[in-house]
Amino acid sequence: MKILHKMKVLITVSKMFNLTKGFVLLLVIGPLCGCEDVLEELPETEVSGVVLVKDETTAREVVNGVYDPIGWGESSFRVTSHAYEFWFGDTATDDAEKGSTSGDQPGVTFLKDFTSNGGNANIGALWAKHWVVISRANEALELLTGPEATISEELNLELQGEAHFLRAYSYSTLVKIFGPVPLFQEPLNQDLITERNFTKAKLGDVYTLIDSDLRFAIENLPLKGVRELGRANKGSAAAYLARSILYQLGTVNAQSYTWQDLLDVTDSFIAQEYGSYGLEPNYALIHEVDHENGIESIFEVQAIAGSDWRQRGPYTGSQWTLTQSPQFMGGWGFNIPNQNLVDAYTSNDPRRPSVALAIGEYAYGVQMEESVRNNTGYYPRKEIMDPAIWSGGDDKASPGNIMKFRYADILLMNAEAAYHESQFAQARERLIEIRARASASTFPIGFDPSTPDQTSATGFAPLLESDIPASGQPLLNFIYDERRRELAMEQLRFWDLVRTGRYISVMDNLYQTGANIEAHTLADDEVYVNPVPVFPIPSQDAIGWGIEQNRGY
């Protein structure tokens, strides 16, 4: 059973009300959301915050509320807009286009072209929800470490570990999109709320906090499977630490990491020191509802059908399915794979139809159609859901989890680290493992319209080990390409291109936007390994918080 990451939390911890899903705490976060209406929400009952950490059940529910905002999509919180990481990780790259019609969410086009400004609602919505996570995490940590917390020490440290993990999760998202941001490690006091005069921390300092949070989580969280599905665990914290190290090695390496550091973390992960993980045998089934939270899953945002997408929460369903599914299957048709991505696959790679489904091909027996909302000829198969489970229309919230981290990424990070440490045989071994799973995979469910509820064999010849270069730059290029093929449309492409110094040239070659991107790279007193392009900070908060807008905006 999935845990519901779908509750609100207070920042003053002075009020609480009860909904059917459990205790729900009132959010009071004026300076961190830039809007006063959030303060006007009225509770039904009042309970002192310290009471919440005297009881195991309510203490867990305090931390449950920290999870809630990471799954927010379109809502009335702050602005009615769409807060999705795929706008940045997929659409703003060479893998995908905005989709839908030109007049629908035009701000996403500006993001991709790097011609946006701080008034872009898509930016504001994503910025806001992650500050809510951070604020709720800080309040939970203050309660749990305070003298009134009387739950057992073991549970207390575990819950602190979840809060530290979630704070790291949101800070890592913010720094990859916006660059340096303010650091908040405790709830805001009234003086800070009144003054609203914050400063950006250095990018390296933000990563230092992220890694400290993740190491605390590794130390204090249980292994996968000990608690409810969906909670952060030792493996998810270790995986995000590995990803943090990977990004720092290619952006700002203030902590002087080496590739050996990344190799050590991922070697330990593969040795199952952080829990039992492996590859799902069939690539085509990874994103199916029946295979959620499986052996390959490291962290997923949980979802079940139910809540009205227009409400300010609590949320239970995901809007990612609605936003990215084809219009003729109840969706809006955004974030569509393009030909450039499809060309990265060989004709015998079973992953292509599980990533980019072409017009004329089938999903669950439904044929992909031409549409005014699709200008590439491909649909994102990983986000298309069985119509028997979710059919769109008035049902805006699907039960499909949002996959955020899976074991294949650990193997590919390990391959890249092994390459840089001249352990070419190990790098090739990881690639062979990834490609062997791909070769053994089927077409996705319903690709054969005569069997709409079943997979079907591809008949493809296997991907050859001999295609993998032995060493040198060709091997590194192959690792980059394999990451793209394996993890396509999972919101990682933008940051893979940035950290490897390829983003500007790739986008300039395909879209002639290199000059725009270059104008918005970080340029301060930190030393950057590669150019780091960033998006604008929402204007009302750049002004209201007293922080400098990002370069070029």
Side-chain angles (χ1 to χ4, degrees), residues 152-168:
S152 71
E153 181 180 6
E154 179 181 6
L155 175 60
N156 194 317
L157 289 172
E158 180 182 325
L159 294 176
Q160 287 184 53
E162 290 188 57
H164 278 287
F165 171 84
L166 292 165
R167 184 169 70 180

Side-chain angles (χ1 to χ4, degrees), residues 277-455:
Y277 297 90
L279 293 178
E280 167 71 44
N282 189 348
Y283 186 90
L285 298 178
I286 293 171
H287 295 270
E288 294 292 330
V289 171
D290 290 346
H291 289 259
E292 291 174 344
N293 300 306
I295 189 172
E296 187 161 348
S297 173
I298 294 175
F299 187 63
E300 300 181 25
V301 178
Q302 306 295 298
I304 62 172
S307 71
D308 187 331
W309 65 288
R310 290 157 292 193
Q311 296 176 357
R312 186 183 289 168
Y315 294 87
T316 59
S318 166
Q319 273 193 271
W320 287 48
T321 309
L322 167 74
T323 309
Q324 298 175 84
S325 291
Q327 184 180 24
F328 51 84
M329 294 185 74
W332 293 340
F334 286 105
N335 195 37
I336 52 176
N338 60 24
Q339 189 65 49
N340 191 266
L341 171 60
V342 170
D343 289 344
Y345 295 92
T346 58
S347 59
N348 64 323
D349 194 330
R351 292 172 295 188
R352 194 282 301 165
S354 289
V355 169
L357 206 57
I359 289 174
E361 295 177 336
Y362 292 81
Y364 308 105
V366 178
Q367 188 172 36
M368 298 299 103
E369 304 172 0
E370 293 186 2
S371 170
V372 295
R373 290 177 173 263
N374 187 297
N375 61 357
T376 69
Y378 298 96
Y379 291 96
R381 181 59 179 85
K382 293 178 180 179
E383 294 302 326
I384 296 175
M385 186 168 289
D386 185 347
I389 298 175
W390 178 87
S391 57
D394 292 333
D395 184 7
K396 306 298 183 181
S398 89
N401 285 1
I402 304 170
M403 176 69 76
K404 303 304 294 183
F405 213 129
R406 56 189 179 90
Y407 182 67
D409 198 355
I410 295 292
L411 294 177
L412 289 164
M413 286 192 287
N414 187 262
E416 192 169 340
Y419 166 86
H420 284 287
E421 290 297 322
S422 299
Q423 298 183 32
F424 304 131
Q426 178 170 327
R428 294 186 80 254
E429 180 183 346
R430 301 306 180 214
L431 294 171
I432 290 169
E433 188 174 352
I434 289 287
R435 288 166 63 81
R437 188 268 297 274
S439 292
S441 296
T442 66
F443 284 127
I445 294 175
F447 188 84
D448 180 347
S450 68
T451 54
D453 59 350
Q454 299 176 31
T455 60

